[in-house]
Amino acid sequence: MLSEVPHAVGTKVVVQGKRGPEVATVRGEPGERKAQERYGMVLRAATPEDLARWEDLHRQGEDLKWLLRARARERSLPVKLVAVEFTLDESLVTVSYSADERIELTSLIGEVRAHTRARVNFAAVGPREQAQMIGTLGACGRENCSSNHLQDFAPVSIRMARDQQLPLNPEKLSGPCGRLLCCLQFEHTQYLELLKDLPRKNAKVCHEGSGACGKVTKLHPLSGTVDVHTDQGTLLGVPAADLRRATEEARIPSEKGARPPRRDPGTGAS
Protein backbone atom coordinates (compact mmCIF):
# COMPACT_ATOMS: atom_id res chain seq x y z
CA MET A 1 0.00 0.00 0.00
CA LEU A 2 1.39 3.40 -0.99
CA SER A 3 1.74 6.25 1.48
CA GLU A 4 -0.53 9.19 0.64
CA VAL A 5 0.93 11.43 3.36
CA PRO A 6 3.73 13.79 2.22
CA HIS A 7 6.96 13.36 4.16
CA ALA A 8 9.30 16.17 5.15
CA VAL A 9 12.77 16.45 3.61
CA GLY A 10 15.22 14.37 5.61
CA THR A 11 12.61 11.84 6.75
CA LYS A 12 13.51 8.16 6.60
CA VAL A 13 10.94 6.21 4.59
CA VAL A 14 10.44 2.74 3.14
CA VAL A 15 10.29 2.82 -0.66
CA GLN A 16 9.68 0.30 -3.40
CA GLY A 17 13.15 -0.09 -4.89
CA LYS A 18 14.07 -1.74 -8.16
CA ARG A 19 14.71 -5.03 -6.40
CA GLY A 20 12.37 -4.75 -3.42
CA PRO A 21 11.61 -2.63 -0.33
CA GLU A 22 14.42 -0.37 0.85
CA VAL A 23 14.97 2.40 3.38
CA ALA A 24 15.61 5.81 1.83
CA THR A 25 15.86 9.47 2.80
CA VAL A 26 13.47 12.08 1.40
CA ARG A 27 15.61 14.52 -0.63
CA GLY A 28 12.98 16.91 -1.98
CA GLU A 29 9.33 17.64 -2.56
CA PRO A 30 7.27 14.95 -4.32
CA GLY A 31 6.97 15.37 -8.07
CA GLU A 32 4.82 13.91 -10.81
CA ARG A 33 5.32 10.22 -11.37
CA LYS A 34 4.83 8.41 -14.63
CA ALA A 35 2.36 5.56 -14.59
CA GLN A 36 4.96 3.04 -15.83
CA GLU A 37 7.39 3.80 -12.99
CA ARG A 38 7.09 1.02 -10.46
CA TYR A 39 10.00 1.86 -8.20
CA GLY A 40 10.86 4.79 -5.96
CA MET A 41 7.32 4.99 -4.57
CA VAL A 42 7.04 5.70 -0.84
CA LEU A 43 5.34 2.85 0.99
CA ARG A 44 5.41 4.29 4.51
CA ALA A 45 7.47 6.19 7.04
CA ALA A 46 10.30 4.02 8.39
CA THR A 47 9.70 2.69 11.89
CA PRO A 48 12.48 2.26 14.49
CA GLU A 49 12.30 -1.48 13.75
CA ASP A 50 12.80 -0.79 10.03
CA LEU A 51 15.85 1.37 10.72
CA ALA A 52 17.40 -1.16 13.09
CA ARG A 53 16.85 -3.97 10.60
CA TRP A 54 18.24 -1.87 7.75
CA GLU A 55 21.42 -1.07 9.70
CA ASP A 56 21.87 -4.74 10.57
CA LEU A 57 21.45 -5.78 6.93
CA HIS A 58 23.94 -3.09 5.88
CA ARG A 59 26.53 -4.49 8.30
CA GLN A 60 25.88 -8.00 7.02
CA GLY A 61 26.34 -6.77 3.46
CA GLU A 62 29.66 -5.08 4.30
CA ASP A 63 30.98 -8.20 6.04
CA LEU A 64 29.88 -10.38 3.15
CA LYS A 65 31.49 -8.02 0.62
CA TRP A 66 34.91 -8.32 2.26
CA LEU A 67 34.54 -12.08 2.52
CA LEU A 68 33.71 -12.38 -1.18
CA ARG A 69 36.65 -10.13 -2.09
CA ALA A 70 38.98 -12.47 -0.19
CA ARG A 71 37.49 -15.54 -1.87
CA ALA A 72 37.79 -13.91 -5.30
CA ARG A 73 41.49 -13.20 -4.70
CA GLU A 74 42.06 -16.79 -3.55
CA ARG A 75 40.53 -18.03 -6.81
CA SER A 76 42.31 -15.41 -8.97
CA LEU A 77 39.03 -14.07 -10.29
CA PRO A 78 39.59 -10.81 -12.26
CA VAL A 79 36.66 -9.00 -10.67
CA LYS A 80 36.02 -6.02 -8.38
CA LEU A 81 33.27 -6.55 -5.81
CA VAL A 82 31.63 -3.13 -5.39
CA ALA A 83 28.73 -3.69 -3.01
CA VAL A 84 26.53 -6.34 -1.40
CA GLU A 85 23.02 -5.07 -0.68
CA PHE A 86 19.97 -6.70 0.90
CA THR A 87 16.35 -5.72 0.44
CA LEU A 88 14.57 -4.77 3.65
CA ASP A 89 12.61 -8.04 3.71
CA GLU A 90 15.88 -9.97 3.10
CA SER A 91 14.29 -11.80 0.19
CA LEU A 92 17.11 -10.78 -2.19
CA VAL A 93 20.80 -10.00 -1.87
CA THR A 94 22.47 -8.27 -4.82
CA VAL A 95 26.21 -8.58 -5.37
CA SER A 96 27.34 -5.71 -7.60
CA TYR A 97 30.65 -6.13 -9.41
CA SER A 98 32.71 -4.77 -12.28
CA ALA A 99 35.00 -6.67 -14.61
CA ASP A 100 36.88 -5.87 -17.81
CA GLU A 101 35.44 -8.95 -19.52
CA ARG A 102 32.61 -11.43 -19.13
CA ILE A 103 33.17 -13.57 -16.06
CA GLU A 104 31.41 -16.44 -14.30
CA LEU A 105 30.90 -15.97 -10.56
CA THR A 106 28.88 -19.10 -9.82
CA SER A 107 31.68 -20.33 -7.54
CA LEU A 108 30.85 -17.49 -5.13
CA ILE A 109 27.15 -18.33 -4.82
CA GLY A 110 27.85 -20.99 -2.21
CA GLU A 111 29.78 -18.47 -0.11
CA VAL A 112 26.76 -16.16 -0.09
CA ARG A 113 24.21 -18.86 0.65
CA ALA A 114 26.27 -20.02 3.61
CA HIS A 115 25.39 -16.72 5.33
CA THR A 116 21.85 -15.95 4.16
CA ARG A 117 18.74 -17.63 2.77
CA ALA A 118 18.09 -14.69 0.46
CA ARG A 119 18.00 -15.22 -3.27
CA VAL A 120 21.36 -14.23 -4.81
CA ASN A 121 21.65 -11.87 -7.75
CA PHE A 122 24.96 -10.89 -9.38
CA ALA A 123 24.78 -7.55 -11.19
CA ALA A 124 27.51 -6.05 -13.39
CA VAL A 125 27.75 -2.28 -12.91
CA GLY A 126 29.49 0.49 -14.83
CA PRO A 127 31.59 3.43 -13.60
CA ARG A 128 28.57 5.66 -12.92
CA GLU A 129 26.82 2.99 -10.83
CA GLN A 130 30.03 2.43 -8.87
CA ALA A 131 30.27 6.14 -8.02
CA GLN A 132 26.62 6.05 -6.97
CA MET A 133 27.15 3.13 -4.59
CA ILE A 134 30.48 4.22 -3.13
CA GLY A 135 29.73 7.94 -2.92
CA THR A 136 32.20 10.65 -3.93
CA LEU A 137 32.57 14.43 -4.04
CA GLY A 138 31.98 16.28 -7.29
CA ALA A 139 34.00 19.16 -8.74
CA CYS A 140 31.54 21.52 -7.00
CA GLY A 141 32.66 20.20 -3.62
CA ARG A 142 29.30 18.64 -2.84
CA GLU A 143 28.14 15.03 -2.83
CA ASN A 144 27.98 13.68 -6.37
CA CYS A 145 24.56 13.85 -8.03
CA SER A 146 24.42 10.11 -8.70
CA SER A 147 24.44 9.20 -5.01
CA ASN A 148 22.43 12.26 -3.94
CA HIS A 149 19.29 12.42 -6.08
CA LEU A 150 19.66 10.79 -9.52
CA GLN A 151 17.46 7.72 -10.00
CA ASP A 152 18.58 6.89 -13.53
CA PHE A 153 21.51 7.85 -15.74
CA ALA A 154 20.53 9.77 -18.86
CA PRO A 155 22.95 9.75 -21.82
CA VAL A 156 25.53 12.55 -21.72
CA SER A 157 27.40 13.58 -24.88
CA ILE A 158 30.28 15.89 -25.68
CA ARG A 159 27.84 17.89 -27.81
CA MET A 160 26.22 19.11 -24.59
CA ALA A 161 29.52 20.64 -23.53
CA ARG A 162 29.92 22.30 -26.95
CA ASP A 163 26.42 23.78 -26.76
CA GLN A 164 27.26 25.26 -23.36
CA GLN A 165 30.49 26.78 -24.75
CA LEU A 166 32.64 24.85 -22.30
CA PRO A 167 36.32 24.12 -22.98
CA LEU A 168 36.64 20.57 -24.27
CA ASN A 169 39.06 19.52 -21.56
CA PRO A 170 38.47 15.87 -20.54
CA GLU A 171 39.82 16.49 -17.03
CA LYS A 172 37.32 19.29 -16.38
CA LEU A 173 34.36 17.59 -18.09
CA SER A 174 34.76 14.21 -16.38
CA GLY A 175 33.39 13.25 -13.00
CA PRO A 176 35.00 11.03 -10.34
CA CYS A 177 33.74 8.01 -12.28
CA GLY A 178 35.83 8.99 -15.31
CA ARG A 179 32.77 9.61 -17.48
CA LEU A 180 31.25 12.88 -18.67
CA LEU A 181 29.65 14.90 -15.87
CA CYS A 182 25.98 14.03 -15.34
CA CYS A 183 25.23 17.71 -14.65
CA LEU A 184 25.97 18.60 -18.30
CA GLN A 185 22.44 17.46 -19.10
CA PHE A 186 20.70 19.55 -16.42
CA GLU A 187 20.68 22.87 -18.31
CA HIS A 188 21.20 21.62 -21.84
CA THR A 189 17.62 22.29 -22.95
CA GLN A 190 17.83 25.89 -21.75
CA TYR A 191 21.09 26.43 -23.61
CA LEU A 192 19.53 25.12 -26.82
CA GLU A 193 16.75 27.70 -26.46
CA LEU A 194 19.25 30.52 -25.88
CA LEU A 195 21.37 29.48 -28.85
CA LYS A 196 18.41 29.93 -31.21
CA ASP A 197 18.82 33.72 -30.93
CA LEU A 198 22.57 33.70 -31.53
CA PRO A 199 24.50 33.49 -34.83
CA ARG A 200 26.60 30.43 -35.46
CA LYS A 201 30.25 30.41 -34.58
CA ASN A 202 32.47 31.52 -37.53
CA ALA A 203 29.50 33.25 -39.17
CA LYS A 204 30.24 36.56 -40.98
CA VAL A 205 28.30 39.38 -39.32
CA CYS A 206 28.17 43.17 -39.19
CA HIS A 207 27.46 45.41 -36.20
CA GLU A 208 24.47 47.69 -36.78
CA GLY A 209 25.87 50.54 -34.70
CA SER A 210 29.51 50.78 -35.79
CA GLY A 211 29.17 49.09 -39.17
CA ALA A 212 32.17 46.89 -38.38
CA CYS A 213 32.08 43.44 -39.94
CA GLY A 214 33.91 40.29 -38.97
CA LYS A 215 33.67 36.69 -37.86
CA VAL A 216 31.94 35.34 -34.75
CA THR A 217 34.58 33.72 -32.56
CA LYS A 218 32.71 32.97 -29.32
CA LEU A 219 29.12 32.76 -28.09
CA HIS A 220 27.84 33.79 -24.66
CA PRO A 221 24.31 32.29 -24.44
CA LEU A 222 23.54 33.44 -20.88
CA SER A 223 24.24 37.11 -21.64
CA GLY A 224 22.99 36.98 -25.25
CA THR A 225 26.27 38.42 -26.55
CA VAL A 226 28.97 37.25 -28.95
CA ASP A 227 32.61 38.03 -29.59
CA VAL A 228 33.37 39.27 -33.10
CA HIS A 229 36.84 39.42 -34.61
CA THR A 230 36.53 42.32 -37.03
CA ASP A 231 38.15 42.62 -40.44
CA GLN A 232 40.27 45.42 -38.94
CA GLY A 233 41.76 43.01 -36.38
CA THR A 234 39.87 44.19 -33.30
CA LEU A 235 37.71 42.13 -30.96
CA LEU A 236 34.18 43.28 -30.19
CA GLY A 237 31.83 41.95 -27.53
CA VAL A 238 28.33 42.95 -28.64
CA PRO A 239 24.69 41.90 -28.12
CA ALA A 240 23.51 39.43 -30.74
CA ALA A 241 20.43 41.63 -31.36
CA ASP A 242 22.73 44.36 -32.74
CA LEU A 243 24.18 42.14 -35.45
CA ARG A 244 23.17 41.26 -38.97
CA ARG A 245 24.70 38.80 -41.35
CA ALA A 246 27.22 40.16 -43.79
CA THR A 247 24.75 39.72 -46.68
CA GLU A 248 21.98 41.92 -47.97
CA GLU A 249 19.30 39.22 -47.63
CA ALA A 250 19.89 38.36 -43.97
CA ARG A 251 18.21 40.23 -41.18
CA ILE A 252 19.18 40.77 -37.57
CA PRO A 253 17.67 38.22 -35.09
CA SER A 254 14.99 40.66 -33.86
CA GLU A 255 13.63 40.90 -37.42
CA LYS A 256 13.67 37.19 -38.11
CA GLY A 257 10.95 36.28 -40.56
CA ALA A 258 10.58 39.85 -41.92
CA ARG A 259 10.58 40.29 -45.68
CA PRO A 260 13.60 41.93 -47.34
CA PRO A 261 13.03 45.53 -48.50
CA ARG A 262 11.69 45.95 -52.03
CA ARG A 263 13.99 47.33 -54.68
CA ASP A 264 13.10 50.65 -56.20
CA PRO A 265 11.99 50.03 -59.82
CA GLY A 266 13.55 53.34 -60.78
CA THR A 267 17.04 52.04 -60.09
CA GLY A 268 16.86 49.66 -63.03
CA ALA A 269 17.54 46.61 -60.88
CA SER A 270 16.03 43.40 -62.23
Side-chain angles (χ1 to χ4, degrees):
M1 181 177 179
L2 300 181
S3 172
E4 298 180 356
V5 180
H7 300 278
V9 174
T11 302
K12 295 289 186 180
V13 293
V14 177
V15 301
Q16 180 60 42
K18 294 181 180 180
R19 304 183 181 100
E22 301 174 347
V23 172
T25 303
V26 178
R27 295 284 191 176
E29 299 299 326
E32 294 184 4
R33 178 168 299 280
K34 298 179 181 178
Q36 66 270 24
E37 291 181 346
R38 298 181 179 179
Y39 62 89
M41 295 178 290
V42 177
L43 301 178
R44 65 178 187 275
T47 64
E49 291 76 16
D50 290 329
L51 297 178
R53 181 174 178 78
W54 189 245
E55 291 180 5
D56 182 60
L57 290 172
H58 177 72
R59 286 193 294 268
Q60 290 185 44
E62 284 294 301
D63 293 342
L64 193 52
K65 178 183 69 176
W66 290 105
L67 173 64
L68 293 179
R69 284 182 175 179
R71 295 293 183 264
R73 284 195 299 269
E74 291 174 1
R75 298 166 188 176
S76 300
L77 295 175
V79 62
K80 176 183 178 183
L81 277 303
V82 179
V84 177
E85 300 170 306
F86 287 88
T87 55
L88 183 60
D89 57 5
E90 203 175 349
S91 63
L92 177 69
V93 57
T94 300
V95 180
S96 301
Y97 70 93
S98 66
D100 294 332
E101 56 187 25
R102 187 180 181 86
I103 185 172
E104 286 291 337
L105 297 176
T106 52
S107 61
L108 297 179
I109 293 180
E111 299 288 346
V112 180
R113 289 179 175 169
H115 294 80
T116 177
R117 296 181 179 179
R119 183 165 54 90
V120 183
N121 174 48
F122 285 92
V125 295
R128 284 193 169 96
E129 288 82 6
Q130 292 183 53
Q132 182 182 54
M133 295 174 179
I134 297 173
T136 59
L137 292 180
C140 58
R142 303 179 64 179
E143 184 182 5
N144 62 337
C145 298
S146 59
S147 56
N148 185 300
H149 63 273
L150 291 183
Q151 298 294 322
D152 295 296
F153 296 104
V156 182
S157 68
I158 197 67
R159 179 58 185 268
M160 294 179 178
R162 290 195 180 98
D163 291 339
Q164 296 175 45
Q165 313 304 306
L166 297 174
L168 302 183
N169 185 334
E171 294 183 359
K172 294 184 178 181
L173 296 178
S174 300
C177 62
R179 297 295 189 267
L180 289 173
L181 291 164
C182 291
C183 54
L184 288 175
Q185 61 174 301
F186 294 167
E187 299 176 348
H188 186 232
T189 303
Q190 287 80 359
Y191 272 90
L192 291 180
E193 288 297 319
L194 294 172
L195 287 172
K196 291 180 180 179
D197 295 327
L198 301 183
R200 290 182 179 274
K201 192 174 180 180
N202 296 323
K204 293 288 290 184
V205 296
C206 292
H207 185 228
E208 287 285 335
S210 64
C213 296
K215 183 173 67 174
V216 176
T217 58
K218 190 173 183 179
L219 309 179
H220 302 280
L222 295 179
S223 62
T225 62
V226 300
D227 291 346
V228 179
H229 188 270
T230 68
D231 297 338
Q232 290 74 35
T234 59
L235 186 65
L236 295 178
V238 295
D242 295 343
L243 297 176
R244 61 177 175 82
R245 292 184 184 178
T247 58
E248 291 183 358
E249 293 81 5
R251 309 299 298 165
I252 60 175
S254 60
E255 296 177 350
K256 185 177 181 181
R259 295 182 179 179
R262 295 183 178 179
R263 294 180 181 273
D264 185 354
T267 62
S270 57

